[in-house]
Amino acid sequence: MYAEERQQLILEQARSRGRVDVAELAGEFAVTTETIRRDLTTLERHGSLRRVHGGAIPIERLGFEPALNTRESVMTAEKKRIGKAALAELPAEGAILLDAGTTTAHLAEALPIDCNLTVVTNSVNIALTLSKRPNLTVMLVGGRLRARTLASVDSWALHSLSETFVEVAFMATNGLSVERGLTTPDPAEAMVKRASIAGARRVVLLADHTKVGNDHFARFAELSEVDTFITDGGIDSTVAAEIEREGVHVLTA
């Protein structure tokens, strides 16, 4: 087995179990503990795991908010598929909102060149991506810029969103669960997300399966406020069924 294959299996186990143990992995893969430690170091450098005593924890399970460049390198293939699948949810005309997030950023990149919509966003990165599309009208929400996410927050952002109505809000989240709904670590971002949802006719949530089952500090929506949830095939079928019982249409990309 090549090192890259072993590392991918280690990462999958970490995400399914919540953590991995060096000694257990060494026995399972019939390699030395030093080899496993090197694998974990490589995965940590890629932003996928965080080393802890005796093992590692997937970055999605940690209690803090990873920086934007770290999140951009995690679950990239899945996020691209989700972004492309979300194209089917675009309205024929009118306005949409793209929430700040790495998965919504992939939707922004996938928007067709001839797409003729007004796009509201509080993400500097998404606004810059869409600024090259001549057929789009891009409305960048102002406010305090959070360095960790490059998203506009606080009262200026809330005032703009309170007077904005869109056909579809494409939302991102740090965590979602049936018990606690949609959550994010920062209260200021939670308020902006809440205002984004309030001004939308429909809400489409874009999130890979590693966000499912995670709960963060600030709740910004109940699952019942989401119309469609687009995720990847890694989501547990039982959990997906529980989410659908809340009235959410679950799609896998």
Side-chain angles (χ1 to χ4, degrees), residues 112-184:
I113 297 297
D114 59 351
C115 187
N116 190 359
L117 293 169
T118 295
V119 182
V120 180
T121 185
N122 69 320
S123 166
V124 172
N125 278 358
I126 289 177
L128 287 173
T129 296
L130 298 182
S131 66
K132 305 167 188 176
R133 308 291 179 86
N135 290 340
L136 295 177
T137 300
V138 181
M139 306 295 292
L140 178 59
V141 176
R144 176 174 63 87
L145 187 64
R146 287 195 72 219
R148 183 164 291 274
T149 59
L150 293 182
S152 299
V153 296
D154 289 347
S155 58
W156 284 7
L158 294 175
H159 177 71
S160 297
L161 291 169
S162 69
E163 300 182 348
T164 299
F165 177 79
V166 298
E167 294 297 321
V168 185
F170 293 92
M171 302 301 299
T173 189
N174 296 83
L176 69 141
S177 67
V178 173
E179 297 77 15
R180 294 179 175 84
L182 311 184
T183 54
T184 192

Side-chain angles (χ1 to χ4, degrees), residues 219-235:
R219 176 165 56 195
F220 63 89
E222 300 286 354
L223 275 178
S224 59
E225 298 177 70
V226 176
D227 295 286
T228 302
F229 171 34
I230 305 178
T231 186
D232 62 272
I235 188 172

